[in-house]
Amino acid sequence: ILITDKTVTLTEGHISFADAVDPAGASSAEVLRLGLLATDVDPATGGASGNDMDAALWESRPDPQALTAGVTRVAELPFDHTRRAASVLIDESRTGTRTLVLKGAPEQVLGLCVDVPAAAAPTLDALFADGRRVVAVAERATPGLTAITPADEHGLTLAGFLVFADNPKAAAKESLAKLAELEIDVKVATGDNPQVAEKVCGDLGLTVRGVTTGAEMERLSAADFDDMVSNTTIFARV
């Protein structure tokens, strides 16, 4: 048995920004603007980001600072693997409003939103089925707020989705075929969405016998866990 990561090992590891869309899937300049404001790049000065998707988003625009002009970042709460999201508090000179902007894993962000449009679910499903990596963006007005805690990340309105591509690595297909000839069972452990991982595996010819997530694994007894591991190919969101 060989357990491998997905990103860089099975994919090219070169993440590129594809589009910013509203909940219905239409391209949206406002979702892009909010995404840029919530990157770990300072909108006022630019610079490099240690986050691959933030870097791809920022570098996708000829002049990202033109989209973020007139906005001051008041506070920020960096990404962590419990929240699986990052948020910023911004002041907009054009409207005189203070807004909390959150971006992160879609299932986390959607759970913090109210009145999610019905179109959001099929839009997400289509993006995942296409093998895209997706970050959700949401916001809410926060007059008087001066700092951010995780407790402030609630009652949000879904703005839309940031869409990224990380294509399957051509050489990985041949490697997987050789491993199959050697009767080595390949399993994939990834932090990415299960549908995205399944699409990548399908493109590379890896037979998927089962898919589970970290959240599902935590609920299993020891005996059920052993049985699941034996019959599962993809371990997603771990």
Side-chain angles (χ1 to χ4, degrees), residues 167-189:
N167 297 319
K169 185 185 292 184
K173 188 168 188 176
E174 181 181 352
S175 298
L176 290 170
K178 289 180 178 178
L179 288 165
E181 290 175 7
L182 294 169
E183 297 185 355
I184 294 175
D185 187 14
V186 176
K187 298 177 183 289
V188 179

Side-chain angles (χ1 to χ4, degrees), residues 45-67:
T45 61
S49 168
N51 179 293
D52 289 343
M53 285 194 282
D54 278 0
L57 178 63
W58 191 264
E59 293 165 6
S60 70
R61 312 304 302 172
D63 185 9
Q65 286 160 301
L67 282 175

Side-chain angles (χ1 to χ4, degrees), residues 3 187-192 194 210-238:
I3 302 176
K187 298 177 183 289
V188 179
T190 177
D192 210 344
V211 181
T212 191
T213 66
E216 292 167 345
M217 291 164 65
E218 288 180 343
R219 296 193 291 266
L220 297 176
S221 67
D224 289 341
F225 188 92
D226 289 346
D227 183 63
M228 176 276 299
V229 168
S230 299
N231 297 288
T232 297
T233 301
I234 296 172
F235 306 90
R237 293 300 194 203
V238 297

Side-chain angles (χ1 to χ4, degrees), residues 105-150:
E107 55 265 46
Q108 299 286 109
V109 175
L110 291 175
L112 300 171
C113 291
V114 294
D115 299 325
V116 175
T123 296
L124 260 184
D125 286 343
L127 292 170
F128 288 147
D130 196 35
R132 300 301 189 185
R133 300 184 69 172
V134 182
V135 173
V137 181
E139 62 180 329
R140 76 175 177 94
T142 51
L145 197 65
T146 58
I148 312 172
T149 69

